[in-house]
Amino acid sequence: METLAFKLEVFEGPLDLLLHLIEKNKVSIYDIPIVQITDQYIEYVSAMPHEDLDLVSDFLVMAATLLDIKARMLLPAEEEDEEEGDPRAELVERLIEYKKYRHLGEELADYEIDGIKVMVHPEDLPAEVKAYRPPVDIDELLGDVTLAKLKSIFDDVMKRREDKIDHERSRFGRIRRQTVNIGDRIRHVRGKLAGGKKQSFRDLLGTGVTKLEVVVTFLAVLELIKTGDLRLTEDSTRDDFILMEGEHHSSEIISEYAEEI
Amino acid sequence: MKLDGMIEGILFAMGSSVSKKELAEALDVQEKEIEEAADALEARLASEESGITLLRLDDRLQLGSRKECYDALIKLASHARKPVLTNAVRETLAIIAYKQPVTKAEIAKIRGVNSDHAVNRLVEYRLVTEAGRLEAPGRPILFGTTEEFLRHFALSSTDDLPDISAEKLAEFTEEAEAESTEVEV
Amino acid sequence: MKLDGMIEGILFAMGSSVSKKELAEALDVQEKEIEEAADALEARLASEESGITLLRLDDRLQLGSRKECYDALIKLASHARKPVLTNAVRETLAIIAYKQPVTKAEIAKIRGVNSDHAVNRLVEYRLVTEAGRLEAPGRPILFGTTEEFLRHFALSSTDDLPDISAEKLAEFTEEAEAESTEVEV
């Protein structure tokens, strides 16, 4: 069928298709024969492969717009919304705006032909420049770090450490060697995420007091990812991961991990 | 060695672009002198048909090979060729270049289609980058072009982008009207 | 463009050395012509005081920057490598100042994270130095502050560091205990 011959062409979007139809029918962009163009547009869209739903929906939105314009144009002109003018006006404006950028994109293609042929040079610093380290000016480096500041930094670090110490246990005097149980850590991680809460991966590992605890917490996270209980996304701004409940989160602890390691 | 030679040697060793300000500090001269020496260097490279050319990227300078060397170069090197953009991506880039800073929503409105994919491609190619946030609900990201954009399209500044003159615009619409009168029904 | 310009552009973009044979093939000329063009290029670069020079390495050619540019390059490089005091480094310095002599392991225990990198930075900045070995398995290195550290803070001895009062420490402990009972599960 001749009218559908263009359906195999790839259009960048509904505006691109509309411009194509306007050019093909040799009609003015300012006086679009809306019935004719709408029919052709809808014919095209209905023949479109429907795999890419996002793309199809953008084409359907335009179809609705065209049908709306068509309906308004069929109404008697002397109705109360006369001051609105031509129902096609906004569409015409959009088409011209789009056509402008489509044209500029094509213009850029010519520049691109030259630009991509220019090659730059890899860094080639002489060895002595590469090996050079500027002498450190301690006064400049320390800048606003006064003695008082240094003290408050120390206080802060020690306070943070104090906060971590488990005073309940330390009352027993000698602290027994801790056994770390992956089941407990899984429960701990789950608790952190319960109810759709989000958790920073760094902060989570930071809750471990001993190295063993950190390692086992890490293993617990891996296990939960494997079972689909946990999902993680990257937080590139903070060089971190964000953990949250996965789709298959269950409240049961995997029994094989209930044993100690 | 004269200043233009020094600039040439420094740009060669650095490989990347260097700002005129940094060059002025490293060479202990005024930025105005760097500007003059850059002109001299550009003229010298052109006059003696050097295979190297001076690129100006806003207020930064960089050396590049001349495009005439390209064919011989790709025979020698399996150079990672710069990506050639598809129409959709280039169209999106044109909108960003001329309207920057601009949000994904504005781009989608002009193109009539969701353009997230095209914008993401451009960010990946480092032709486009985040340029702040719009002070509006949701604080959407604004996008603008990069130095790589200038290099990719052999431009010195976004001011050198091809004009959309009033005439050109009129041409568009006339074209459409002319077509319509021809086939008046 | 003449052959010497083509060679210049190719060597520039390649960065590495390229054999005359490869150049001859890429440019579709005889090796002898490459040889002559290389001579011409070398003479031209020398006569016009270019900051770039042609290096001959057996039968290979390469471009390099001239030695006269090194001082300016070092200025540029030292600007780029200006050290900054990160939080990790500050904290580590505070710990070493108050707890010296102290091992890397102890610092890591106090900060809760491996602090080797921060300690190494401080040694590099000469704010911290080795201060003997701990008489313990593995004889780990002890670190302490340097004379430069004292000089910067105008201290005659580390004994003059502002006191961490006993009250303050007790306060911390109470606070921490209160918090720990609150979060009892």
Side-chain angles (χ1 to χ4, degrees):
Chain A
M1 224 160 105
E2 205 272 327
T3 47
L4 280 179
F6 56 82
K7 82 176 181 198
L8 296 173
E9 291 173 40
V10 178
F11 294 101
E12 305 302 345
L15 293 168
D16 200 26
L17 171 57
L18 267 182
L19 284 175
H20 170 84
L21 293 175
I22 288 166
E23 280 155 25
K24 186 174 173 297
N25 288 284
K26 296 190 166 36
V27 293
S28 166
I29 203 164
Y30 289 108
D31 190 19
I32 301 169
I34 204 77
V35 177
Q36 181 190 347
I37 295 290
T38 302
D39 289 349
Q40 290 181 11
Y41 182 91
I42 287 170
E43 192 178 358
Y44 169 81
V45 174
S46 51
M48 259 176 91
H50 286 206
E51 292 102 64
D52 190 344
L53 284 177
D54 277 346
L55 188 66
V56 172
S57 70
D58 285 326
F59 278 90
L60 291 178
V61 169
M62 178 57 73
T65 307
L66 289 171
L67 288 170
D68 177 53
I69 295 172
K70 183 171 143 186
R72 281 194 281 155
M73 290 194 68
L74 292 175
L75 286 175
E78 59 281 344
E79 290 288 308
E80 76 270 27
D81 55 352
E82 201 174 343
E83 72 274 12
E84 276 186 21
D86 193 328
R88 296 171 297 182
E90 197 194 325
L91 180 64
V92 169
E93 217 170 276
R94 283 188 69 192
L95 281 169
I96 290 176
E97 169 99 334
Y98 172 71
K99 194 175 176 184
K100 183 175 88 181
Y101 287 109
R102 194 179 67 174
H103 167 77
L104 288 168
E106 284 161 11
E107 289 277 293
L108 278 179
D110 290 340
Y111 287 70
E112 189 178 21
I113 290 168
D114 284 347
I116 61 172
K117 287 186 177 174
V118 175
M119 298 290 179
V120 297
H121 178 69
E123 185 194 88
D124 187 13
L125 289 172
E128 45 267 72
V129 175
K130 264 205 158 121
Y132 176 79
R133 288 286 170 276
V136 179
D137 180 338
I138 289 179
D139 296 339
E140 194 187 327
L141 178 70
L142 288 174
D144 63 338
V145 181
T146 58
L147 273 181
K149 187 88 178 265
L150 193 69
K151 175 180 175 296
S152 81
I153 293 169
F154 181 74
D155 288 348
D156 288 347
V157 174
M158 295 312 283
K159 181 168 179 341
R160 226 168 48 210
R161 179 169 158 69
E162 278 294 310
D163 289 348
K164 275 189 197 162
I165 291 172
D166 183 341
H167 291 270
E168 285 298 303
R169 281 212 175 77
S170 45
R171 272 190 215 128
F172 295 117
R174 253 181 82 85
I175 297 172
R176 272 180 52 239
R177 173 195 279 274
Q178 291 287 307
T179 49
V180 185
N181 178 306
I182 192 163
D184 284 348
R185 294 317 287 175
I186 286 177
R187 222 173 283 130
H188 173 74
V189 175
R190 277 233 181 87
K192 292 274 184 191
L193 304 177
K197 271 182 287 182
K198 291 181 179 172
Q199 166 72 41
S200 149
F201 184 58
R202 276 181 182 275
D203 292 349
L204 179 71
L205 289 191
T207 59
V209 176
T210 62
K211 198 178 277 182
L212 183 62
E213 239 176 274
V214 172
V215 170
V216 177
T217 305
F218 184 67
L219 290 175
V221 169
L222 289 183
E223 184 56 33
L224 287 168
I225 292 172
K226 203 172 86 186
T227 57
D229 285 59
L230 184 156
R231 154 167 92 79
L232 93 187
T233 56
E234 207 180 340
D235 180 357
S236 54
T237 55
R238 294 180 53 228
D239 198 16
D240 194 358
F241 292 104
I242 300 296
L243 311 181
M244 61 199 99
E245 273 177 350
E247 281 165 26
H248 312 292
H249 68 93
S250 57
S251 49
E252 286 304 303
I253 301 271
I254 309 109
S255 58
E256 58 182 301
Y257 286 102
E259 63 198 81
E260 285 177 353
I261 61 163
Chain B
M1 202 190 297
K2 280 188 296 184
L3 201 52
D4 64 301
M6 293 294 280
I7 293 174
E8 189 182 12
I10 290 170
L11 292 178
F12 176 86
M14 295 297 285
S16 62
S17 69
V18 183
S19 75
K20 288 177 202 160
K21 187 160 171 286
E22 288 171 300
L23 285 168
E25 277 166 22
L27 291 163
D28 204 14
V29 296
Q30 298 296 311
E31 251 182 88
K32 202 177 132 45
E33 290 173 74
I34 295 292
E35 185 58 66
E36 286 163 8
D39 288 343
L41 175 61
E42 190 173 18
R44 164 159 73 75
L45 292 173
S47 73
E48 74 210 358
E49 297 188 68
S50 165
I52 297 174
T53 180
L54 183 69
L55 311 178
R56 288 158 187 270
L57 310 156
D58 287 327
D59 62 339
R60 301 177 74 83
L61 302 175
Q62 186 171 17
L63 293 180
S65 63
R66 231 178 255 284
K67 62 176 193 244
E68 287 87 339
C69 301
Y70 183 74
D71 290 340
L73 257 171
I74 52 171
K75 276 197 221 164
L76 263 174
S78 43
H79 258 291
R81 289 185 54 178
K82 295 183 194 171
V84 179
L85 309 179
T86 63
N87 286 337
V89 171
R90 208 184 294 111
E91 192 176 289
T92 305
L93 183 57
I95 294 168
I96 296 173
Y98 283 91
K99 295 206 83 129
Q100 59 186 315
V102 64
T103 63
K104 279 183 179 172
E106 283 177 84
I107 297 165
K109 208 175 146 211
I110 293 173
R111 295 190 60 226
V113 278
N114 180 309
S115 303
D116 292 3
H117 182 74
V119 174
N120 294 344
R121 262 289 118 70
L122 289 166
V123 170
E124 189 184 305
Y125 294 154
R126 300 208 279 162
L127 294 168
V128 153
T129 188
E130 293 188 14
R133 299 259 178 179
L134 186 67
E135 286 307 331
R139 307 194 70 240
I141 299 168
L142 291 162
F143 292 90
T145 54
T146 61
E147 183 185 309
E148 177 60 23
F149 166 79
L150 296 178
R151 258 194 303 270
H152 190 94
F153 291 98
L155 299 167
S156 302
S157 139
T158 48
D159 297 340
D160 294 350
L161 281 166
D163 250 1
I164 352 166
S165 57
E167 296 142 51
K168 193 77 207 174
L169 263 181
E171 213 175 279
F172 273 174
T173 48
E174 266 168 40
E175 197 183 299
E177 277 172 300
E179 280 167 8
S180 74
T181 46
E182 271 169 35
V183 270
E184 202 70 67
V185 205
Chain C
M1 202 189 295
K2 283 188 293 184
L3 201 53
D4 64 306
M6 292 294 283
I7 294 173
E8 188 182 14
I10 291 169
L11 292 178
F12 171 84
M14 294 293 289
S16 59
S17 68
V18 182
S19 75
K20 290 176 201 159
K21 186 161 171 288
E22 287 171 301
L23 284 168
E25 278 166 20
L27 291 162
D28 204 14
V29 296
Q30 298 297 309
E31 251 182 87
K32 201 176 134 44
E33 291 172 74
I34 296 290
E35 186 57 68
E36 286 162 9
D39 288 344
L41 176 61
E42 191 173 16
R44 164 158 73 76
L45 291 174
S47 74
E48 75 212 359
E49 297 187 70
S50 166
I52 298 173
T53 178
L54 183 69
L55 313 172
R56 289 158 184 270
L57 315 148
D58 291 330
D59 64 339
R60 302 177 75 80
L61 303 175
Q62 186 171 9
L63 293 180
S65 54
R66 236 182 251 285
K67 285 230 163 29
E68 287 90 327
C69 302
Y70 287 12
D71 285 347
L73 278 170
I74 278 179
K75 276 200 209 166
L76 262 175
S78 60
H79 198 70
R81 289 181 201 141
K82 216 162 206 80
V84 281
L85 211 58
T86 61
N87 274 337
V89 174
R90 279 169 185 231
E91 282 182 16
T92 306
L93 178 62
I95 293 166
I96 296 175
Y98 279 96
K99 295 238 155 198
Q100 61 186 306
V102 62
T103 63
K104 281 182 179 174
E106 277 179 87
I107 297 166
K109 215 170 134 198
I110 293 172
R111 291 195 57 230
V113 283
N114 180 309
S115 305
D116 293 4
H117 187 73
V119 175
N120 294 343
R121 275 291 97 77
L122 287 165
V123 171
E124 188 187 312
Y125 301 157
R126 299 209 290 160
L127 284 165
V128 154
T129 186
E130 293 188 17
R133 299 259 178 181
L134 185 68
E135 287 307 331
R139 306 195 70 242
I141 300 167
L142 290 161
F143 292 89
T145 52
T146 60
E147 271 178 40
E148 277 90 346
F149 172 84
L150 293 178
R151 189 189 49 72
H152 172 80
F153 289 108
L155 296 171
S156 39
S157 137
T158 51
D159 295 339
D160 299 341
L161 280 166
D163 259 358
I164 307 288
S165 63
E167 292 150 50
K168 189 83 190 168
L169 271 176
E171 205 177 287
F172 287 164
T173 319
E174 272 168 35
E175 262 175 51
E177 271 179 53
E179 279 170 32
S180 73
T181 46
E182 268 168 37
V183 274
E184 200 72 65
V185 204

